[in-house]
Structures are given as structure tokens and as C-alpha cells.
Amino acid sequence: MTIKEYVKVKKAEIREYVLSMPRKPKLVIVQINEDEASYAYIRGKLKDAADLGIEAELIKLPLETSQEELLKKIDDLNHDSSVDGFIVQMPLPKQINEETVKLAIAPNKDVDGFHPLSKLDPCTPRGIMNYLNSKNIKIQGKNAVVIGRSNIVGKPMAKLLLAANANVTVLHSKTSFEDMRNYIANADIIVIAIGKAGFLDKKFTYKPDAVLVDVGINRLEDGLHGDAIANLPVGLQTPVPGGVGLLTRLALYENLLTIVNGK
Ligand code: NAP
């Protein structure tokens, strides 16, 4: 099953479940940017909500919104019982500190799972783990290499793979090329999230049955590209577009339903 087919099946299941709920769950998206990629992500999230029968509201704040004004809005949403969860779409304008914002969102409404006290996993790693499990990919005892160590992808991905008993190695910009080559050559599972188009290519060697999860989204003139070139000689490679982005979108609503069910 391709990721598109998998997401379609999962969305149908979620829609049926939502229809059986006494009231529609509600998500709010706060946007304070004119970022092209953010518009595309938000369009996707609103479309998914409509497909799933979930109520979603977009609150667009002006670019000059101060941090204090945003924190007030977040406080209102934290206390609004009609809102099950909300996200503040990144990036934020310069006058607003991203970390302060992440910490201001109540953990029990933090659909993105960014708050350190949130019981939810960030959407991208959660979506990837669900997909790997759906494909019955063995993780326990396998060599998993995570390239990139951001707080929203690399680190939580490594944590989830470790919790699933993989032997996890995290590589980053200070890893030497030689080490990178050795770790990749021995990896059963590779997750790359660095934002460098085509970084993984044929200069590396791969296990023929390796699973390569490409998180990268790089917008080039000729369209979207992953952090790996297409069709590497591995057992399974997730495509870009039509790959992890769709899993992330799905996981957002899985997180929302986890919040609603935990009430
Ligand atoms: P980020 O915060 O920019 O972090 C990038 C990470 O990559 C850093 O840890 C950095 O290492 C590492 N890195 C950069 N250049 C490297 C190199 N040459 N070799 C090894 N490591 C290198 O990135 P992010 O937010 O995690 O996003 C990464 C990519 O995933 C982006 O393309 C983003 O658009 C995409 N993304 C996609 C989804 C999705 O749903 N598909 C979701 C989130 C992000 P240092 O720590 O040493 O600087």
C-alpha cells in the first residue's frame, strides 16, 4: 500500500469514528505569517478537517502582532472549552519568541506535541511510527539512523525509535562524512530530516532492504524535493511529495482525537 492509499484508509476510519462522536472535535489554527509554505500546510490541514468531519477554524493575526497580544490569544484558547486543541503555525515574526509560544500552549491542548509536558508525540514522528507499524516493519534490535536533531523531528523521532527498542544513532551537521557513510551503510532504518535537497544519493551505500524515510521538504524551482534523491537502492523509500507530509497531516488529527478521548 502506498502512503497515499494508507492515508486514505486511515482517514475513512477517522471520519467514521468522528461521525459516531456526540459532538464534532474542534481545532484552531493561529497564523501570523505570510509564508508560502505555511499557507500550503494550512490549506492541507483545513482540507483534512473538512474530509474528516472535524471543525477547524483559522485565526489569522496581523504580522505586527506583539508577543503579548499573541500570548493573550493563546491564553484565551487555553481556556476556551469549545476548542479541543490548537496550533500556532510556525514560522513566527521576529518580535515573537518561538520557545515562549510553545511553552504558553496548555499541554492538554497542544496538538503539535511541542510542549515538554505534552503527553503527545510531535506529529511527524508519530505519523512515521504509525506508518512503519502498519507495514509491520521490524524495529526492535534494528540499526536506526536519524539524520537531523531538531526538536520537532530528529530528537522525538530518535526517542520513539529507542522506545521501540531500535539501536538508535543520531547524526547531524557536525558528523564527519566518513562516519555518516559508515552509519548509513549499516542502517536498517534511516530517517532523514535536514532540509538539504538530494543529500542522500549514490555517494552512500545502503543495505538493500533498508527502510528510508525522507522527511525533507525542499522547495526548488522545479517543485518539491526530499532530502534524498528518488529511487535509491533500498527496500522501501518514502516519496516526496506524497510521503511523510501526508503522514504528518494525519497524525495532527490523531493527536486531536487523543486529546478529546483523554478528557
Ligand atoms: P531544522 O530545525 O532546520 O534542523 C535541521 C537539522 O539537520 C539540524 O539538526 C542540523 O544539524 C541537521 N543538518 C543540517 N545540515 C546537515 C548536514 N549537511 N548533515 C547532517 N545534518 C545536517 O529542520 P527540521 O525542522 O527538522 O526540518 C528538516 C526538514 O524536514 C526540512 O526540509 C523541513 O521542511 C522538513 N519537514 C518536513 C515535515 C513533513 O511533514 N514532511 C515536517 C517537519 C519538517 P545541527 O543540529 O548540527 O545544526
Side-chain angles (χ1 to χ4, degrees):
M1 212 186 329
T2 64
I3 290 185
K4 272 190 184 155
E5 288 160 351
Y6 163 81
V7 168
K8 200 170 163 198
V9 169
K10 284 285 159 196
K11 280 177 82 172
E13 284 173 19
I14 294 177
R15 184 177 166 75
E16 204 177 303
Y17 176 71
V18 169
L19 279 173
S20 76
M21 295 174 85
R23 73 165 178 88
K24 275 185 179 185
K26 180 171 176 181
L27 174 80
V28 169
I29 302 171
V30 180
Q31 182 185 13
I32 321 171
N33 64 38
E34 294 295 339
D35 177 60
E36 197 192 318
S38 288
Y39 273 106
Y41 296 144
I42 290 171
R43 265 197 310 276
K45 287 168 187 171
L46 294 176
K47 178 187 177 299
D48 289 341
D51 291 348
L52 298 172
I54 286 172
E55 192 181 342
E57 183 191 345
L58 173 62
I59 299 179
K60 182 111 188 358
L61 298 178
L63 280 180
E64 57 279 9
T65 302
S66 68
Q67 177 159 306
E68 203 185 349
E69 286 164 332
L70 175 59
L71 293 178
K72 168 79 180 75
K73 175 50 86 185
I74 290 174
D75 192 52
D76 291 347
L77 291 168
N78 282 342
H79 292 99
D80 183 341
S81 60
S82 73
V83 176
D84 296 294
F86 64 99
I87 60 176
V88 178
Q89 183 70 45
M90 304 292 163
L92 295 171
K94 282 195 294 291
Q95 71 275 17
I96 301 177
N97 181 283
E98 280 192 12
E99 289 312 307
T100 307
V101 167
K102 285 179 190 165
L103 292 175
I105 300 173
N108 65 348
K109 294 211 173 178
D110 176 24
V111 199
D112 267 330
F114 289 160
H115 195 289
L117 295 180
S118 173
K119 291 198 179 74
L120 299 170
D121 297 310
C123 299
T124 301
R126 175 173 182 165
I128 292 170
M129 289 304 282
N130 288 348
Y131 179 65
L132 296 180
N133 289 332
S134 80
K135 304 264 312 169
N136 289 321
I137 288 165
K138 193 165 178 269
I139 298 175
Q140 178 157 314
K142 295 291 177 182
N143 294 336
V145 168
V146 178
I147 314 174
R149 55 176 166 179
S150 70
N151 289 332
I152 62 165
V153 187
K155 281 186 200 143
M157 188 73 236
K159 191 177 130 204
L160 291 185
L161 287 165
L162 192 59
N165 297 321
N167 317 318
V168 183
T169 308
V170 181
L171 310 180
H172 44 76
S173 69
K174 305 292 183 283
T175 306
S176 72
F177 178 73
E178 203 187 340
D179 284 340
M180 182 94 58
R181 207 173 41 194
N182 290 336
Y183 283 116
I184 290 170
N186 287 308
D188 301 300
I189 299 167
I190 303 167
V191 180
I192 181 157
I194 66 171
K196 300 261 180 319
F199 180 86
L200 287 184
D201 59 12
K202 293 194 176 145
K203 69 179 172 295
F204 297 104
T205 56
Y206 305 87
K207 280 192 168 181
D209 57 351
V211 172
L212 168 50
V213 179
D214 189 349
V215 183
I217 298 180
N218 303 288
R219 281 162 209 278
L220 304 187
E221 270 175 16
D222 61 344
L224 290 190
H225 291 261
D227 285 344
I229 63 167
N231 302 317
L232 283 170
V234 292
L236 173 77
Q237 178 175 358
T238 65
V240 178
V244 173
L246 297 179
L247 300 176
T248 301
R249 277 166 56 176
L250 185 67
L252 179 77
Y253 289 102
E254 288 170 341
N255 270 356
L256 184 71
L257 292 181
T258 304
I259 290 176
V260 175
N261 290 332
K263 277 187 178 170

